[in-house]
Amino acid sequence: MTKRTTQYVCQNCGATFAKWTGKCESCGKWNTLVEEDLPEKTHSQITAGKGGKKFDFVDLRGAPEIIFRLKSQIGELDRVCGGGLVPGSVILVGGDPGIGKSTLLLQAVAHLSETVNKAGSPTKCVYISGEESVDQVRLRALRLGFSSANVALASATNVRDIVATLESGPAPDVVIIDSIQTMYSDTLDSAPGTVGQVRASGNELIRLAKRLNFTLFLVGHVTKEGTLAGPRVLEHMVDTVLYFEGDRGHHFRILRSVKNRFGATDEIGVFEMTESGLQEVKNPSALFLADRRGNIAGSCVFAGVEGSRPLLVEIQALVAPMSGQSPRRAVVGWDAGRLAMILAVLEARCGIIFGAKDIYLNIAGGLKLTEPACDMAVAMALVSALTQKPVPADMVVFGEVGLSGEVRAVPQSDLRLKEAEKLGFKKALIPPQRSAKKECKESAIHKTEVGHLRTLTDIFRG
Ligand code: TYD
Ligand code: MG
């Protein structure tokens, strides 16, 4: 019997199989198995026969070392990373092609090269592109006004060469690999971008980053389904996972942290893509509300929170006569299932009948909202669209809605109200406040507590 030399690897979850099947038995996805070479040595072969070295244990107690962080001077990026870049940490930046990952990281290294590292010498930055030629990167730097920044630039894709180069020179402080899907390790035969290659080259580069103690940025492309190609293998290996998202039709971009060993997750940074690169947006609420016209039925301002940051956004609803065979429900920027739930609650619990109407819901500006706190604002926009009565222009709304129509408390009410006050809003519809918790006391905004969605209609009548 000949020895097996290949295996089948699921490109979605990284599970391995001896035989090809149409459906991955691990994650249930179809047509994701790709034949790849078996790693030359298995784990047990590597460890067999060798005696390991003994190590010492320490106490859980003890003063933690204060972590030094490099500051990229891009406040939004530093905040999303937990207050700066930790030497020896690995940050995966995912996003759709063309969203601005290369632009963001080139700006970051250009700024970083002007700062000093822990030892007090200038931060050494390296940018390795596997997708673009040196000239293309230079052209972009010129466009961004950084052509004289002290950044070491190279176009390379072989991980062995990259490791040899970085090991031989003076140790870098920050290294950008753009992108991990173009890198290949010559110990494997499979093509760049396959799970095997992404895992092997990711592993090599991460080990190097830990050994030489530099901050490593790995750029990763997102597949059509919205996940990083080879997602699980990479996400587990790195310290921080950031997603760069946004709508190509809109000029703003959001950098979101979904995993961070050195800071809070769900933190967002907001940028605007301009002719001269990405600009930080210090006041995102003002940006998202910039095009709002007051006194229009179907529009409601939601006071949201993303990470540690309050964010006001306009929710728009349109209720129109049915145009097809069955009523249409179209949602942009929110969960369609959640819209169906709110509609059902309004109909069954509050007697507000939408019936055979087309319903469209849009989060203005191309933002994607996931907070349940958005429920009441959506209900408000829907009722306003149906009754053709505008929500007062100086009112913000937040609160989660339960299946019986009750409105539930949401976290960080104070933060939401303060932001609304700052932007000139005068009224707020909020969930009932627990008396023990003295939230929402500070702001001068006029607050109306709503216990049940049924009472929403009173606001339109009044
Ligand atoms: P890029 O950083 O190449 O995206 P990614 O690396 O995520 O694939 O960004 C490409 C887009 O950004 C491109 O469509 C042009 C636009 N862009 C600007 O609008 N202004 C700029 O200053 C730059 C450099 C790019
Ligand atoms: Mg790019």
Side-chain angles (χ1 to χ4, degrees):
M1 201 179 91
T2 55
K3 200 165 159 277
R4 194 159 62 87
T5 58
T6 60
Q7 61 182 350
Y8 294 89
V9 182
C10 171
Q11 301 298 302
N12 182 54
C13 70
T16 56
F17 302 93
K19 286 207 179 88
W20 188 87
T21 49
K23 183 180 176 183
C24 170
E25 278 167 26
S26 171
C27 68
K29 282 255 158 72
W30 288 89
N31 279 327
T32 53
L33 296 202
V34 168
E35 186 171 15
E36 289 182 12
D37 283 342
L38 272 174
E40 278 163 18
K41 280 184 183 166
T42 64
H43 184 68
S44 54
Q45 280 171 320
I46 294 167
T47 51
K50 284 189 199 158
K53 251 196 274 166
K54 239 182 79 197
F55 58 84
D56 297 326
F57 291 100
V58 294
D59 281 345
L60 207 49
R61 256 177 299 121
E65 197 192 337
I66 293 167
I67 302 176
F68 171 81
R69 290 172 191 262
L70 288 166
K71 296 278 191 289
S72 72
Q73 316 296 315
I74 304 178
E76 298 289 296
L77 174 67
D78 287 342
R79 206 191 51 252
V80 172
C81 292
L85 315 176
V86 179
S89 71
V90 182
I91 302 164
L92 175 66
V93 182
D96 288 321
I99 208 74
K101 302 179 292 297
S102 306
T103 309
L104 175 71
L105 293 178
L106 189 60
Q107 282 181 244
V109 279
H111 282 300
L112 276 163
S113 67
E114 288 164 4
T115 64
V116 290
N117 62 13
K118 198 176 179 183
S121 44
T123 309
K124 266 190 70 57
C125 299
V126 173
Y127 188 105
I128 298 174
S129 178
E131 307 200 324
E132 292 162 308
S133 68
V134 166
D135 282 335
Q136 280 171 307
V137 181
R138 278 191 183 141
L139 255 164
R140 178 178 294 134
L142 191 68
R143 180 171 174 187
L144 298 171
F146 291 127
S147 49
S148 56
N150 190 14
V151 175
L153 174 66
S155 174
T157 52
N158 187 334
V159 174
R160 194 188 290 271
D161 296 348
I162 294 173
V163 171
T165 311
L166 292 181
E167 269 180 336
S168 66
D173 293 302
V174 180
V175 174
I176 313 278
I177 299 288
D178 189 1
S179 66
I180 188 67
Q181 277 109 341
T182 54
M183 298 295 141
Y184 77 95
S185 160
D186 49 22
T187 54
L188 291 180
D189 265 349
S190 43
T194 54
V195 167
Q197 280 290 5
V198 167
R199 176 170 28 206
S201 19
N203 233 329
E204 276 296 306
L205 292 165
I206 291 167
R207 275 218 302 273
L208 184 73
K210 304 280 172 199
R211 202 161 66 234
L212 301 185
N213 202 34
F214 60 77
T215 305
L216 173 65
F217 277 98
L218 298 174
V219 173
H221 290 299
V222 167
T223 59
K224 272 195 262 52
E225 293 92 40
T227 49
L228 286 172
R232 306 229 173 110
V233 284
L234 272 183
E235 290 193 353
H236 285 172
M237 285 173 353
V238 301
D239 299 304
T240 303
V241 179
L242 308 179
Y243 274 94
F244 204 34
E245 27 178 79
D247 192 304
R248 237 81 58 100
H250 290 91
H251 49 294
F252 68 84
R253 304 278 181 268
I254 292 185
L255 187 66
R256 192 186 292 276
S257 81
V258 293
K259 164 182 172 180
N260 196 350
R261 289 187 183 144
F262 299 104
T265 49
D266 282 329
E267 196 63 71
I268 65 162
V270 185
F271 296 89
E272 194 174 350
M273 181 60 98
T274 67
E275 276 306 299
S276 52
L278 289 156
Q279 306 284 337
E280 290 178 68
V281 176
K282 302 270 191 216
N283 188 350
S285 300
L287 176 76
F288 289 120
L289 294 181
D291 297 326
R292 191 169 71 105
R293 311 266 174 278
N295 274 330
I296 290 181
S299 149
C300 176
V301 177
F302 164 54
V305 173
E306 294 281 344
S308 64
R309 196 152 205 226
L311 191 64
L312 301 192
V313 267
E314 185 190 359
I315 310 231
Q316 302 173 330
L318 176 67
V319 177
M322 197 168 82
S323 57
Q325 295 290 320
S326 55
R328 261 191 87 158
R329 307 281 186 255
V331 191
V332 181
W334 208 49
D335 181 31
R338 202 117 191 140
L339 171 67
M341 185 194 99
I342 299 289
L343 286 171
V345 169
L346 284 173
E347 296 207 346
R349 306 287 185 192
C350 316
I352 302 170
I353 307 298
F354 289 85
K357 291 268 178 45
D358 285 350
I359 295 173
Y360 301 89
L361 188 80
N362 176 38
I363 310 299
L367 201 70
K368 283 194 190 72
L369 293 183
T370 51
E371 256 197 301
C374 187
D375 293 351
M376 184 153 72
V378 170
M380 194 79 180
L382 288 169
V383 175
S384 162
L386 182 74
T387 56
Q388 282 301 307
K389 295 216 175 92
V391 179
D394 57 354
M395 178 184 271
V396 294
V397 180
F398 62 87
E400 183 180 345
V401 172
L403 279 186
S404 69
E406 85 279 15
V407 180
R408 294 159 165 248
V410 295
Q412 293 176 294
S413 303
D414 256 338
L415 195 64
R416 299 171 199 267
L417 290 171
K418 262 190 225 139
E419 177 80 354
E421 200 182 343
K422 207 166 81 192
L423 282 141
F425 286 87
K426 299 276 185 293
K427 301 182 199 127
L429 289 192
I430 63 173
Q433 296 300 300
R434 276 160 279 175
S435 52
K437 262 183 91 190
K438 300 227 175 346
E439 272 200 282
C440 312
K441 236 181 35 181
E442 291 170 32
S443 78
I445 229 165
H446 182 266
K447 298 169 280 280
T448 310
E449 294 184 14
V450 181
H452 196 280
L453 273 196
R454 209 183 294 123
T455 53
L456 272 192
T457 36
D458 299 343
I459 291 150
F460 296 99
R461 256 183 240 124

